[in-house]
Amino acid sequence: MNKKMKFWSIVLLTINSIIGTGIFLSPGGVTKQAGSMAPFIYICAAIFAAVLAVTFAAASKYVVKNGAAYSYARAAFGANTGMFIGVTRYVSASIAWGVMATGVVKNALSIAGMDSKNMVNVTVGFLVLMLLLFIINVKGTAFLTLISDLSTAGKMAALAITIVVGIVIIVTTGENHISDVELLTNADGSPLIPAMDATVFVTAVISAFYAFTGFESVASGASDMENPEKNLPKAIPLAIGIIAVIYFGIVLVAMMINPVALVQSEEVVVLASVFSNKIVRGIIVLGALISMFGINVAASFHSPRVCEAMAKDGILPAFLGKRNANDIPLNAFVLTAVLAIIVPMSFMYDMQGIMIISAIARFAQFIIVPLGVIVFFMGKQKEEIIDARKSVITDVVFPVISVILTVILLYKFNWKGQFSVTDETGASRINWYAIIAMIIGYVVLPVAVYVNSNSKKK
């Protein structure tokens, strides 16, 4: 059961790590910003993501250890930088896994017509899902790969069927309603869709870009993959390309059929509201459930291996780096699962306050890793790396563009929204959960790990 992932399984894992709930549950968000230009905004976002993905793929040819951004940062800039990136990445990944598990349960309850706000319902479903993920993981990499492949195939099949059915409807009816979205208005009669300018364009592209994130985690389990130094650099960009085609197709046909439903629907699975046929709607809803489950399978694979990588380097306790008979980092998995369970439960499954950690950790990776690739290209790294084939385009040009794009991303990020919340009366107040989470995740934990690590060395 410890058979390593082959090339196409890595591609499917990458797709599984990226396609989650967004394209099923909330594809109208970008449409509200970009109107009829939304399908093309996704193409621009795909190019944005592809540049970053190629940069991460370039890093993976130099460093094939588990941990992804942690291992790249450590090799390029030394143990302390690697430790900071690793700790913040691990904490954010564990939280993100808990958030995704919570999302699966709440959305599944809503789809089933059950009360998704009932804490008992959510807790029972949450624990059952985490137990199922535990069983999948302890069975070994081969079994997890099978489940990941099947869930990816399921979500892709649902999206592909939706695109095909949409094309058939458009061709047979001869109708195109894509411009209808431009006629929508607010309560005061003003246009719902803003006029397209540079600010609107950049904001819309950034919103669409988040639908492509997840590729940065794929190399976390490099040691469980076959020839990662060759397969990862090919698999990650290929997966981004496949996803770009799927997103473009889905948004385009949905907007040509019923863009008003895409923007205004209050159904849980918004994409399903575009279609009137019950069979098609059922396929989309089933695809959404499979997609939500699949991205949790991917998260349960990536996150523990960041912990394992740091344990093997002596940053975390050594027992977290040990594997069981099925070649699974069981101790690291258990710790990660505990974090993924406790944090959502502690916040009563309201994750708005702590998601800021995940967002900032991602930005940190998008700057450190590109700079690390440039360091690898120049041969100035702090630790030994693989003597890989160098390329000015992928190892210098793309990383430079990646840093520039990330700076734009940071500038346009909704900082105010992350550190403030609106109560039931509509009043805005400071989001203390987010502030506390930032202090713990970016100051307290890194300092604690640093002190512990250095005390061991002494």
Side-chain angles (χ1 to χ4, degrees):
M1 299 304 293
N2 60 355
K3 186 178 180 181
K4 295 191 175 186
M5 290 186 181
K6 295 184 182 298
F7 175 76
W8 284 108
S9 287
I10 299 173
V11 173
L12 292 175
L13 177 67
T14 306
I15 294 172
N16 203 16
S17 303
I18 296 173
I19 300 180
T21 61
I23 198 65
F24 290 96
L25 272 57
S26 56
V30 175
T31 305
K32 288 181 181 179
Q33 296 175 307
S36 56
M37 292 295 293
F40 303 98
I41 290 293
Y42 275 94
I43 294 298
C44 295
I47 295 172
F48 185 173
V51 171
L52 283 162
V54 168
T55 301
F56 271 74
S60 69
K61 71 183 180 182
Y62 290 107
V63 181
V64 296
K65 294 168 59 180
N66 281 0
Y70 156 70
S71 294
Y72 306 152
R74 181 185 175 98
F77 302 109
N80 288 337
T81 302
M83 181 207 66
F84 182 80
I85 293 296
V87 171
T88 54
R89 168 61 189 149
Y90 176 59
V91 171
S92 68
S94 301
I95 291 173
W97 178 16
V99 171
M100 288 186 286
T102 302
V104 153
V105 174
K106 284 190 171 183
N107 287 308
L109 289 172
S110 297
I111 291 170
M114 300 175 67
D115 185 3
S116 63
K117 295 182 179 180
N118 184 296
M119 289 299 101
V120 175
N121 291 346
V122 175
T123 301
V124 171
F126 185 71
L127 294 176
V128 169
L129 174 62
M130 297 303 285
L131 177 61
L132 181 58
L133 293 171
F134 173 77
I135 294 171
I136 291 172
N137 275 269
V138 297
K139 282 286 187 178
T141 301
F143 185 72
L144 183 141
T145 300
L146 174 63
I147 299 299
S148 177
D149 289 353
L150 290 175
S151 59
T152 307
K155 70 176 74 176
M156 290 178 67
L159 292 170
I161 291 171
T162 303
I163 293 172
V164 171
V165 170
I167 292 173
V168 171
I169 292 173
I170 293 166
V171 171
T172 54
T173 62
E175 297 179 359
N176 180 2
H177 298 280
I178 194 168
S179 60
D180 291 0
V181 72
E182 306 291 349
L183 304 177
L184 295 175
T185 59
N186 295 307
D188 60 1
S190 61
L192 177 66
I193 309 301
M196 180 62 69
D197 57 22
T199 300
V200 173
F201 174 78
V202 172
T203 304
V205 170
I206 289 173
S207 297
F209 167 76
Y210 287 111
F212 291 91
T213 56
F215 61 84
E216 69 277 5
S217 301
V218 176
S220 295
S223 68
D224 293 288
M225 300 173 182
E226 189 175 273
N227 299 321
E229 70 279 6
K230 295 181 180 179
N231 287 332
L232 277 169
K234 298 176 183 177
I236 295 175
L238 175 60
I240 292 289
I242 294 171
I243 293 169
V245 172
I246 292 174
Y247 283 177
F248 176 81
I250 281 291
V251 176
L252 182 62
V253 299
M255 291 191 65
M256 292 180 73
I257 294 171
N258 191 352
V260 176
L262 199 65
V263 173
Q264 297 183 335
S265 175
E266 294 183 358
E267 293 186 30
V268 178
V269 184
V270 173
L271 185 61
S273 64
V274 172
F275 299 87
S276 58
N277 185 284
K278 290 184 177 180
I279 296 177
V280 176
R281 289 169 61 89
I283 290 173
I284 295 173
V285 170
L286 179 60
L289 290 171
I290 294 173
S291 184
M292 287 185 284
F293 175 73
I295 201 167
N296 272 273
V297 172
S300 72
F301 174 81
H302 301 314
S303 305
R305 284 161 174 78
V306 179
C307 175
E308 177 196 20
M310 289 191 290
K312 288 187 173 180
D313 287 333
I315 293 176
L316 296 178
F319 77 93
L320 293 172
K322 294 182 179 179
R323 294 198 166 203
N324 66 0
N326 285 334
D327 199 27
I328 296 299
L330 184 60
N331 296 333
F333 179 90
V334 171
L335 175 62
T336 309
V338 168
L339 288 173
I341 292 171
I342 289 179
V343 175
M345 291 178 69
S346 300
F347 283 83
M348 300 297 291
Y349 304 104
D350 181 8
M351 304 305 294
Q352 181 182 357
I354 57 177
M355 277 307 291
I356 186 69
I357 291 182
S358 182
I360 303 302
R362 184 168 284 150
F363 292 146
Q365 294 177 72
F366 289 167
I367 290 178
I368 290 295
V369 173
L371 294 177
V373 173
I374 296 173
V375 169
F376 297 153
F377 178 83
M378 297 173 63
K380 303 293 185 180
Q381 68 280 349
K382 297 293 185 180
E383 295 185 357
E384 186 178 354
I385 59 174
I386 293 177
D387 185 18
R389 183 178 180 181
K390 297 181 178 182
S391 166
V392 174
I393 301 298
T394 62
D395 301 357
V396 178
V397 176
F398 274 47
V400 169
I401 297 174
S402 296
V403 172
I404 294 172
L405 292 175
T406 302
V407 171
I408 295 173
L409 197 68
L410 282 165
Y411 177 72
K412 287 292 183 178
F413 186 70
N414 184 16
W415 297 100
K416 184 178 179 180
Q418 290 293 334
F419 289 103
S420 62
V421 291
T422 303
D423 58 27
E424 296 178 356
T425 65
S428 180
R429 58 181 174 81
I430 296 175
N431 187 347
W432 288 107
Y433 283 157
I435 294 173
I436 293 171
M438 280 287 292
I439 294 172
I440 293 174
Y442 280 84
V443 180
V444 176
L445 287 177
V447 168
V449 172
Y450 175 80
V451 171
N452 180 68
S453 177
N454 278 272
S455 65
K456 285 183 178 180
K457 291 178 181 178
K458 291 181 181 178

